Amino acid sequence: MPDTPPLLPDAAPEEQPGNDMPSLSTLPGLAGTAASSSIPELGFQLLPPPAPEVFPLVRSEDGRMALTNEALEVDGQTVGWRELEAVDVQPVRWLLWFLLGGFTLAGFMLAFLQNWLRTIPAAAGMAAGALLLAFGARGSNRWRLHRPGREVAYFALPGAARSWQQLAAEANRRIRQRHDEAAASTTYWMQRATWPPAAPGSLPTTEDGF
């Protein structure tokens, strides 16, 4: 049997000159960069301000004041929310009636104790003094409407002070909301007039390069 030559391993493929650098697709972290290079970069977009808030109609217990979506109505007068800076309410006692009732009550009580008056006239006088005292202590609620560049408007409204204070808090909230919406809308239109902003390389320069 003739001798057969031993099997030799296959020779390694020869490297082609100029192909010694790895491709971008084989490098980690660069494959995604190469794939995303064809996607255009998204820039900033100018978004319009949100729609104005719609306020529900709120009326006072006696119906003399109403808080609408656009204005404050009190005693037949209408003042827009943007025309107001703030409102406040303060309970005010009627000092004249309070003092008159107190003096009347004290006078008839003193006259009855000194036996200057009989029981029925003294009781009637003390009852009248007590009514005057209660009427003066009841007082009213003084509303002040602060308007920029104009005089403060005053309104006197009777009733419980707590309900009027709640209405004043709601009115101030609506005033602030309308002012914030106006400021946001003004800022939006001012930015839109100069949109899109100038690129850094397109800024004007002087001859000295400054």
Side-chain angles (χ1 to χ4, degrees):
M1 184 173 182
D3 295 337
T4 58
L7 297 177
L8 298 177
D10 296 337
E14 297 181 359
E15 295 181 358
Q16 298 294 331
N19 293 336
D20 54 347
M21 296 298 294
S23 61
L24 293 177
S25 59
T26 61
L27 295 179
L30 294 180
T33 305
S36 62
S37 60
S38 59
I39 301 177
E41 183 180 358
L42 298 178
F44 294 100
Q45 296 181 358
L46 186 61
L47 299 178
E53 181 181 353
V54 179
F55 300 131
L57 176 63
V58 179
R59 291 187 178 275
S60 60
E61 298 177 356
D62 56 359
R64 297 178 59 181
M65 177 177 292
L67 280 63
T68 65
N69 183 43
E70 297 295 337
L72 171 67
E73 299 179 359
V74 51
D75 281 346
Q77 300 185 23
T78 302
V79 185
W81 297 121
R82 296 181 182 178
E83 301 177 17
L84 293 172
E85 183 178 1
V87 300
D88 60 69
V89 58
Q90 181 180 4
V92 177
R93 305 302 180 189
W94 290 334
L95 185 59
L96 178 61
W97 294 101
F98 187 82
L99 293 177
L100 182 60
F103 282 123
T104 302
L105 179 61
F108 275 93
M109 289 183 63
L110 181 62
F112 176 72
L113 293 176
Q114 295 293 333
N115 294 324
W116 295 342
L117 293 176
R118 295 185 178 181
T119 304
I120 296 179
M126 287 187 288
L131 291 177
L132 292 176
L133 184 63
F135 186 73
R138 179 173 177 266
S140 63
N141 301 278
R142 183 177 63 180
W143 277 75
R144 294 188 300 178
L145 308 185
H146 301 272
R147 299 172 294 179
R150 303 176 61 182
E151 296 182 357
V152 179
Y154 294 90
F155 297 92
L157 301 173
R162 183 174 182 83
S163 62
W164 291 116
Q165 291 171 353
Q166 293 176 354
L167 285 177
E170 176 63 19
N172 285 321
R173 188 189 74 84
R174 298 188 180 191
I175 292 172
R176 291 192 299 267
Q177 180 66 22
R178 285 293 183 252
H179 282 294
D180 292 343
E181 292 171 355
S185 178
T186 303
T187 303
Y188 168 74
W189 287 109
M190 290 179 62
Q191 291 180 352
R192 186 170 181 178
T194 58
W195 191 264
S202 62
L203 296 176
T205 57
T206 61
E207 296 179 358
D208 297 335
F210 297 101

